[in-house]
Amino acid sequence: MKFKRRMRYAAVVLGGALALAACNGPTADKPAASGAAPAGNTSGGNLHFAVVSHGSAGDAFWNVVKNGAEAAGKQLGVQVDYKADGDPGAQAKLVDNAIAQKVDGLVVSMANPDALKTSIQNAVKAGIPVVTINSGESRSAEFGAIAHVGQNETIAGEGAGKRLKDAGKTKLLCVIHEAGNIGQNQRCDGAKQAFGNVQTLQVDINNPTDAQSRIKGAVQADPSIDAVLALNSQVAAGAVTAIKGAGSKAQVATFDLNSDVVTAIKSGDILFAVDQQQYEQGYLPIVFLKLYKENANTVGGGQPVLTGPGFVDKANVDTVAPYANRGTR
C-alpha cells in the first residue's frame, strides 16, 4: 500500500513538472523581454509584413512566390500583403506606400536596384527591417537589408550553359524578357561563360505574341542556333511553339517551372528547367522577419540564403510535377 501511495505521489509530481515545462517551453506564447528584440510589435498576430515584387500581372512564377509568402503568414499568424508592379518606378511607389502604412517588415525583389535604392533605404531609416529576394543580391547589404533570399543568377546561368554544352549544342540564343532586369543579364552572361557562343534576344513578356514571333524570326534567320534558353516559364512555352513553327531543330531549356514546363519536359519539348524554388523566396522571408521582430535573429551571416539553382529534367520531373501543379514549385 505504501508503495502504491508513493507511485501515485510520484505520478502527481511528474505530471506537474511536465505541465510546468510545457508552459515554459519553446512553444509557449511568451512575449520577448524588454529590449530583447527590435522596436515594434512582439505579438505574431499583430505583425504586418508587405511583399513588393517586380512581377507582372498573371506571371506564373510570381504567383508561386505569393503562395509561399501567404502560406507562411497563415502558418505564423502574420498579416501578409502582396503587391507587384513590373515598372521599377511604380514598384518603388509601392514600397513607399508600405512605409507610410508603417508595416512591421518588408520583402522586396530588386530587378532594378538603383530605382529602389532610395525607397528601401527610407524603409531602413524608418526602422522597418527589409529582406530582399530574387534579384539584386550584390546590392542588398549596401541598402541596409537584413538578408537576401534567392539564387545566384551568374552561377545558375553557368549551370544552364554547361548542361547545354554537355548536350552537344553549339550556338545558344538567350532570351531576355524584361528590359533593365539585372538578374536576366547575369543569367545570360553566366551561360556565355560556360557555353561560349551565345547570342541574346530582347522580348517583352507582356506581349507574348510578339515575343514568340521574335524568337521564331531569330531561329529562322540563323539556322545554326541549336539551343534556346528562356528565362521564364511562360516565355519557354512560346519558344517551343516558335521553334516548331520555324521548322527549327533547336531545343529549349528554361529557367523556372510551371505545369506547362513540366509537361514539356516529359514530352521532350524542353530539355530541362533551372529551378530556383521560388516558393521559398516567398515563404522564408516571412519566417526571417518574424524571427527578427520577436527574437532579434538574423540569417546568412552577411551571405545570401540560396534557394537554387536546382535542375529539373526527365530524371526527376515526376517527383516535382505534383508540387508544380499545386502551385508550390
Side-chain angles (χ1 to χ4, degrees):
M1 292 296 291
K2 290 182 179 179
F3 176 76
K4 290 182 178 179
R5 283 197 296 269
R6 289 194 193 102
M7 290 300 292
R8 285 197 295 269
Y9 177 75
V12 171
V13 172
L14 179 59
L18 290 173
L20 181 60
C23 290
N24 291 289
T27 58
D29 186 12
K30 183 179 179 181
S34 177
N41 293 326
T42 56
S43 172
N46 294 326
L47 290 173
H48 177 196
F49 299 152
V51 181
V52 181
S53 85
H54 65 275
S56 302
D59 190 316
F61 175 91
W62 287 104
N63 285 343
V64 176
V65 176
K66 180 182 178 183
N67 289 344
E70 291 180 344
K74 184 176 181 180
Q75 292 169 17
L76 298 173
V78 173
Q79 179 183 341
V80 174
D81 291 332
Y82 177 94
K83 297 187 183 301
D85 201 303
D87 177 78
Q91 188 190 5
K93 289 181 180 178
L94 291 175
V95 174
D96 294 339
N97 291 341
I99 297 170
Q101 293 170 11
K102 298 181 179 180
V103 296
D104 297 299
L106 185 61
V107 181
V108 187
S109 66
M110 298 202 302
N112 191 320
D114 289 333
L116 297 169
K117 180 178 181 179
T118 298
S119 295
I120 291 175
Q121 289 181 333
N122 284 341
V124 173
K125 289 176 183 176
I128 300 172
V130 177
V131 175
T132 58
I133 61 170
N134 187 259
S135 302
E137 170 195 326
S138 63
R139 308 290 296 279
S140 178
E142 174 192 341
F143 292 178
I146 63 170
H148 178 83
V149 180
Q151 74 176 358
N152 183 286
E153 303 291 18
T154 301
I155 292 173
E158 288 175 351
K162 183 179 185 304
R163 279 182 167 247
L164 289 167
K165 187 174 183 179
D166 290 347
K169 305 306 174 184
T170 58
K171 187 167 186 179
L172 172 63
L173 180 69
C174 191
V175 184
I176 296 173
H177 60 267
E178 289 175 348
N181 185 329
I182 186 173
Q184 293 185 20
N185 289 303
Q186 289 169 342
R187 290 176 180 181
C188 290
D189 290 344
K192 187 173 183 178
Q193 290 176 29
F195 186 88
N197 190 9
V198 176
Q199 174 184 330
T200 59
L201 174 68
Q202 179 73 57
V203 303
D204 182 1
I205 191 172
N206 295 310
N207 191 340
T209 301
D210 182 67
Q212 182 175 312
S213 176
R214 286 176 180 271
I215 295 169
K216 181 179 179 180
V219 296
Q220 283 179 327
D222 187 354
S224 67
I225 294 174
D226 56 3
V228 175
L229 179 61
L231 306 183
N232 173 276
S233 56
Q234 290 168 260
V235 175
V240 169
T241 302
I243 287 169
K244 288 180 177 179
S248 170
K249 294 183 180 180
Q251 288 187 287
V252 176
T254 187
F255 277 70
D256 306 328
L257 283 175
N258 63 13
S259 57
D260 291 335
V261 169
V262 166
T263 300
I265 290 173
K266 289 181 178 181
S267 68
D269 287 330
I270 292 180
L271 282 176
F272 63 83
V274 184
D275 182 19
Q276 60 178 301
Q277 301 181 108
Q278 70 269 30
Y279 185 83
E280 294 182 335
Q281 294 178 20
Y283 190 98
L284 292 178
I286 303 304
V287 177
F288 296 165
L289 286 173
K290 187 173 191 291
L291 284 170
Y292 182 80
K293 293 295 293 184
E294 294 188 346
N295 207 45
N297 290 126
T298 58
V299 293
Q303 299 299 314
V305 177
L306 299 181
T307 63
F311 293 90
V312 178
D313 55 21
K314 278 194 172 183
N316 61 352
V317 68
D318 287 334
T319 299
V320 174
Y323 308 124
N325 288 334
R326 77 179 186 187
T328 59
R329 286 294 288 269

